[in-house]
Amino acid sequence: MSIFVRTSPLRVLWIALTALLVAMVLPAGAHAQPGNPEQEQVRAIALKAVDLIAAKGLDTAAALFNRDGEFRHGALYVTVIDFAGVWKVYPPRPAGVGISVINVKDPDGRDIVRDILSVARDAGEGWVEYRWLNPASNRIEPKTTFVKRVPGQDLVAYVGLYH
């Protein structure tokens, strides 16, 4: 009798994303730190999103980013903006695509879009911390976001982790 069960890759991804969501509701003192598994997963999704944009183009990638699956699940999603600060992909509110968010601030007054663009321009990739509305809980929560510039394009993809 075998104890191993054949599991589809999509099921494995679903389980991993569910584990990520469970990790996001840990007590307030259990914030994600650089190098932790949840942040590494967020970084991996952002890097994969950038690779997809570079290989297939923004329109093809956007269709995948807006569907539930490996790039979007609950409070985990890929956002894409251009260097002018215009939303190109925003799964929680697809109708917002084309809107300039360059002057958007978090509830503490932090210029989060300018911070994201600064990281993308200056370092190519990195982390930005701020507070934002979690669409899963409908509450303002701390968020740690991995930012990555699409090579050779004035586009930035990012994925954040609420905690």
Side-chain angles (χ1 to χ4, degrees):
M1 179 171 155
S2 173
I3 60 169
F4 297 103
V5 177
R6 186 176 187 111
T7 305
S8 74
L10 187 56
R11 176 101 172 118
V12 171
L13 178 62
W14 180 258
I15 292 167
L17 289 174
T18 301
L20 175 65
L21 290 173
V22 168
M24 290 188 303
V25 295
L26 292 173
H31 297 298
Q33 296 297 321
N36 80 13
E38 292 86 10
Q39 281 189 311
E40 290 306 317
Q41 184 175 12
V42 163
R43 182 178 182 274
I45 292 168
L47 294 175
K48 188 172 183 180
V50 165
D51 289 346
L52 181 63
I53 295 167
K56 302 286 184 178
L58 182 60
D59 291 339
T60 298
L64 292 172
F65 300 161
N66 282 311
R67 282 196 321 231
D68 284 342
E70 66 181 310
F71 294 104
R72 179 180 183 204
H73 179 74
L76 183 71
Y77 52 87
V78 175
T79 300
V80 180
I81 58 174
D82 65 16
F83 272 20
V86 174
W87 266 334
K88 298 300 184 181
V89 178
Y90 187 59
R93 197 175 123 216
V97 170
I99 293 174
S100 174
V101 291
I102 191 72
N103 294 317
V104 168
K105 297 177 188 298
D106 80 352
D108 301 320
R110 183 171 182 171
D111 287 317
I112 59 175
V113 175
R114 292 180 195 277
D115 289 350
I116 288 167
L117 290 172
S118 177
V119 167
R121 280 190 189 114
D122 298 345
E125 66 180 53
W127 296 94
V128 177
E129 294 187 8
Y130 53 96
R131 294 185 333 121
W132 197 245
L133 179 66
N134 181 335
S137 69
N138 203 34
R139 292 188 323 241
I140 302 294
E141 298 177 4
K143 189 170 186 178
T144 303
T145 295
F146 184 78
V147 175
K148 174 77 174 158
R149 180 181 183 168
V150 178
Q153 299 184 42
D154 289 342
L155 294 173
V156 179
Y158 53 99
V159 179
L161 177 69
Y162 290 96
H163 43 109

